[in-house]
């Protein structure tokens, strides 16, 4: 049986092929799963997808009519999948519930330090042999306040790094993490966290109740010189409201590894095309904003764990087993 994997990055392909070798044949495609590409999957019982795949009702219906019975998503997030429709069509859906939290937390810190110390601007200047320091002044993190929205595994690792910098820690979540509290974190209401934090980082899943968690009122509650980092899901931030605040000259820096309308853009080369997304086009023009292309998870360690979990999900499906990764069980 051949498995069809959509949206496979060049660095990811050898890891996937090696992991499946001797178990199942797998064909890796660099195209993403959309309504236009879904017919390619005809005849494949198992399809593997990436986080930016379109798994809405029309795509799922096309997959099901072509014989697909299992979706093995290579990510933790699954907000792109219509689970109710998948269940109605008799399709099994599994995701990767866990992979290295260090990958995302460390990258969030890379964004924070890059915007704080103006690393991109400095690098651009020195390439032109401009070695002035004007406009490059940053701030010590030591002694300042880090606000962590979402204190699960990734948020905890971020907090540990912040603790190493000697920062005061504020947290917000539906449940308190004892490990974070041992670091000295104080859990406070979201409004207090936003008002008191010098650095704010988002590590919560995207759900209806967290969509635009950082909306216009939340942005206005933040300090004018705050740093905002999002390496979780783009929909957590109201980007139009963020642009409005940036135009007013607010925030020391904003680091975004995700964007709420990234589907159809991120992971693709659009350098020779006009970008029709006016909000994104405006966002990347601000000198205090750094946008990367959803790469926080992209380490050998994390991708290796994602691939291994995907293999296990496929083997469990074939054997009729169920694990914590299953979102819609085999009917």
């Amino acid at each position: 049986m051949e498995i069809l994997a959509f949206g496979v990055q060049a660095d990811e392909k050898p890891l996937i092929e090696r992991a499946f070798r001797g178990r199942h044949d797998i064909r890796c495609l660099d195209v993403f799963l959309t309504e236009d590409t879904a017919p390619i999957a005809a005849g494949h019982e198992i399809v593997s997808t990436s986080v930016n795949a379109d798994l809405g009702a029309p795509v799922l219906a096309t997959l099901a009519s072509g014989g697909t019975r299992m979706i093995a998503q290579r990510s933790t997030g699954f907000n792109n999948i219509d689970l109710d429709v998948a269940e109605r069509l008799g399709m099994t859906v599994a995701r990767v519930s866990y992979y290295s939290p260090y990958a995302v937390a460390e990258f969030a810190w890379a964004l924070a330090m890059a915007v704080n110390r103006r690393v991109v601007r400095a690098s651009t200047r020195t390439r032109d042999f401009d070695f002035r320091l004007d406009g490059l002044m940053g701030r010590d993190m030591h002694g300042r306040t880090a606000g962590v929205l979402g204190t699960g595994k990734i948020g905890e690792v971020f907090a540990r790094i912040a603790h190493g910098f000697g920062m005061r820690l504020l947290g917000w979540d539906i449940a308190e993490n004892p490990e974070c509290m041992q670091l000295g974190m104080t859990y406070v209401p979201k409004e207090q966290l936003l008002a008191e934090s010098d650095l704010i980082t988002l590590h919560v899943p995207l759900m209806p109740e967290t969509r635009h968690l950082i909306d216009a009122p939340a942005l206005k509650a933040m300090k004018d010189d705050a740093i905002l980092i999002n390496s979780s899901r783009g929909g957590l931030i109201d980007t139009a409201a963020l642009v409005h605040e940036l135009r007013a000259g607010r925030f020391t820096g904003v680091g975004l590894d995700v964007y709420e309308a990234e589907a159809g853009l991120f992971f693709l080369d659009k350098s020779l095309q006009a970008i029709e997304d006016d909000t994104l086009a405006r966002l990347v023009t601000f000198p205090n904003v750094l946008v990367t292309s959803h790469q926080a998870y992209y380490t050998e360690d994390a991708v290796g764990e994602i691939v291994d979990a995907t293999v296990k999900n496929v083997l469990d499906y074939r054997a009729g087993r169920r694990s914590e990764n299953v979102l819609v069980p085999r009917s």
Side-chain angles (χ1 to χ4, degrees):
M1 180 184 67
E2 183 183 67
I3 299 167
L4 190 62
F6 284 91
V8 177
Q9 303 297 312
D11 297 331
E12 184 185 17
K13 183 177 179 180
L15 297 177
I16 292 177
E17 291 176 339
R18 183 165 60 246
F20 275 96
R21 189 172 299 137
R23 294 188 171 102
H24 290 292
D25 293 333
I26 187 162
R27 181 156 62 104
C28 296
L29 304 178
D30 58 2
V31 299
F32 292 90
L33 180 59
T34 65
E35 287 191 55
D36 292 332
T37 61
I40 301 173
H44 292 84
E45 181 181 349
I46 300 175
V47 167
S48 179
T49 58
S50 62
V51 68
N52 274 346
D54 175 0
L55 286 160
V59 171
L60 289 172
T62 299
L63 293 177
S65 66
T68 299
R69 293 293 174 263
M70 191 231 182
I71 304 293
Q73 175 128 310
R74 303 187 307 278
S75 71
T76 299
F78 54 91
N79 54 285
N80 60 318
I81 308 173
D82 191 325
L83 298 180
D84 292 334
V85 171
E87 183 174 16
R88 189 165 67 247
L89 292 171
M91 304 175 78
T92 299
V93 180
R95 60 157 178 167
V96 177
S97 59
Y98 175 86
Y99 60 84
S100 169
Y102 303 100
V104 178
E106 290 172 4
F107 192 82
W109 265 107
L111 289 175
M113 295 306 294
V115 297
N116 176 41
R117 302 305 301 269
R118 314 288 195 258
V119 173
V120 175
R121 184 186 300 179
S123 176
T124 301
R125 281 186 185 179
T126 56
R127 286 178 179 272
D128 292 331
F129 298 100
D130 178 353
F131 300 105
R132 294 172 300 160
L133 298 182
D134 298 347
L136 300 183
M137 184 175 287
R139 298 179 295 178
D140 290 0
M141 289 296 184
H142 179 83
R144 288 189 160 81
T145 299
V148 184
L149 291 162
T151 57
K153 293 181 176 65
I154 297 172
E156 178 187 329
V157 174
F158 188 96
R160 289 188 181 280
I161 299 172
H163 181 262
F165 273 104
M167 301 185 76
R168 173 189 177 219
L169 297 175
L170 297 180
W172 176 86
D173 209 327
I174 56 174
E176 297 179 350
N177 184 335
E179 297 296 325
C180 290
M181 296 178 72
Q182 286 186 7
L183 297 172
M185 177 177 283
T186 301
Y187 281 85
V188 296
K190 184 183 75 169
E191 294 72 21
Q192 181 180 346
L193 182 149
L194 296 174
E196 297 183 11
S197 297
D198 301 292
L199 167 62
I200 296 166
T201 184
L202 308 180
H203 300 292
V204 300
L206 179 60
M207 302 178 290
E209 54 267 36
T210 61
R211 184 166 188 82
H212 287 180
L213 180 70
I214 303 299
D215 55 11
L219 290 164
K220 290 186 181 301
M222 292 167 55
K223 294 181 177 181
D224 287 343
D225 61 354
I227 293 172
L228 174 63
I229 303 297
N230 187 10
S231 58
S232 183
R233 289 291 180 266
L236 298 175
I237 296 178
D238 182 340
T239 316
L242 175 60
V243 168
H244 178 78
E245 296 301 316
L246 288 165
R247 290 182 63 186
R250 301 189 64 221
F251 308 134
T252 290
V254 175
L256 304 175
D257 185 51
V258 288
Y259 172 60
E260 61 180 325
E262 69 181 55
L265 290 172
F266 282 22
F267 306 138
L268 299 171
D269 181 2
K270 298 289 185 177
S271 60
L272 299 179
Q273 302 176 29
I275 296 300
E276 298 178 359
D277 188 326
D278 292 338
T279 302
L280 178 60
R282 184 70 181 91
L283 190 63
V284 299
T285 65
F286 291 104
N288 57 335
V289 174
L290 175 57
V291 178
T292 53
S293 52
H294 206 140
Q295 68 183 81
Y297 78 98
Y298 207 53
T299 67
E300 292 180 5
D301 311 80
V303 173
E305 291 174 4
I306 289 169
V307 170
D308 289 344
T310 301
V311 172
K312 182 180 183 298
N313 288 342
V314 169
L315 296 178
D316 284 348
Y317 164 78
R318 295 287 289 169
R321 295 187 296 264
R322 184 172 177 177
S323 73
E324 71 281 358
N325 287 341
V326 176
L327 298 169
V328 179
R330 187 170 185 172
S331 56

